[in-house]
Amino acid sequence: MVALTDVEVEALGSHGFFVRDGFLGDAQALAARAAALARVDAGTLRPAGIRRGADRSLDAAERGDHIEWVMPGAASELEALWLRFQALGDAVSSGAYLGLGRFDMQLACYPVGTHYARHRDAFPGQSNRRLTAIWYANADWKPEHGGVLRLFPEDTGAPVDVAPVLDRLVVFLSERLEHEVLPVHAARLALTAWFYGRGQ
Ligand code: OGA
Ligand code: MN
């Protein structure tokens, strides 16, 4: 079970995001990291697409990560994280009065030299992503590895940098928060859940 703290609820409302460390706990975090690495090593991840007009073309200048969707049934080794994301969605729904329903889960690996340009995950008014939750799997992250997540809160305008360290969770409002991934100097792993509104 996951419950939001008052500070997290307040941060989500005022700044549009919060960060929580130790989302899974050491043992489960290392197991999830190993499972993510195994998927990367299996060679099944594919360059992420950027939608341009009617085409789904690939644009590495915008976004250089390689991705794979993680399905709940087949996610046995990542099941602990999947269940924890599910509990997080319930906690945000009840604690922050966001009516969230289903979510998609994606594994992303950023190879050395890639980044993801500033963007939002959704645009207001469309029936799509409401909440983004990203869990990082980088066990020995150091500043020289790069790949920091930079958030642009609307309220202060001052960018906030989040290091993608193992077992750190960042949660933000998909329609509100602009963000980018700064250039990556060591392969970078993240697992993201995008939550939709109820009935979507
Ligand atoms: C995304 C994204 C940020 C990160 O996949 O849309 O912005 O820190 N990822 O991995
Ligand atoms: Mn994004």
Side-chain angles (χ1 to χ4, degrees):
M1 145 125 190
V2 175
L4 299 193
T5 66
D6 292 347
V7 172
E8 288 169 340
V9 172
E10 161 65 19
L12 197 58
S14 55
H15 310 304
F17 77 95
F18 70 82
V19 177
R20 180 191 285 203
D21 286 327
F23 186 53
L24 289 184
D26 291 347
Q28 284 191 348
L30 285 169
R33 169 183 158 78
L37 275 174
R39 283 178 176 238
V40 172
D41 289 345
T44 49
L45 275 63
R46 292 288 171 260
I50 295 276
R51 203 173 279 280
R52 293 217 177 265
D55 271 321
R56 194 166 173 78
S57 57
L58 301 177
D59 190 348
E62 291 282 324
R63 168 172 198 184
D65 56 333
H66 292 199
I67 61 160
E68 183 168 80
W69 296 100
V70 180
M71 299 303 161
S76 49
E77 352 74 85
L78 289 168
E79 192 71 11
L81 181 60
W82 198 91
L83 290 171
R84 200 95 177 120
F85 274 142
Q86 190 175 47
L88 174 76
D90 293 343
V92 171
S93 290
S94 57
Y97 306 107
L98 277 176
L100 302 177
R102 68 184 179 90
F103 65 92
D104 292 328
M105 180 165 156
Q106 182 184 80
L107 167 63
C109 178
Y110 288 72
V112 172
T114 61
H115 73 295
Y116 194 157
R118 183 169 172 170
H119 67 281
R120 279 188 219 178
D121 286 352
F123 291 91
Q126 292 172 352
S127 55
N128 53 17
R129 297 164 170 177
R130 308 274 312 272
L131 190 86
T132 303
I134 310 175
W135 182 83
Y136 295 113
N138 306 296
D140 304 307
W141 186 88
K142 296 181 182 59
E144 57 266 34
H145 294 166
V148 162
L149 173 70
R150 180 162 289 170
L151 304 171
F152 299 92
E154 285 173 341
D155 59 334
T156 62
V160 175
D161 286 351
V162 180
V165 301
L166 180 66
D167 210 16
R168 174 168 285 170
L169 176 79
V170 52
V171 176
F172 57 85
L173 301 174
S174 311
E175 296 156 311
R176 262 179 58 184
L177 207 76
E178 294 192 10
H179 55 283
E180 69 179 312
V181 177
L182 299 184
V184 166
H185 310 303
R188 174 196 195 269
L189 286 175
L191 283 134
T192 301
W194 285 285
F195 292 86
Y196 296 80
R198 277 212 184 99
Q200 292 179 340

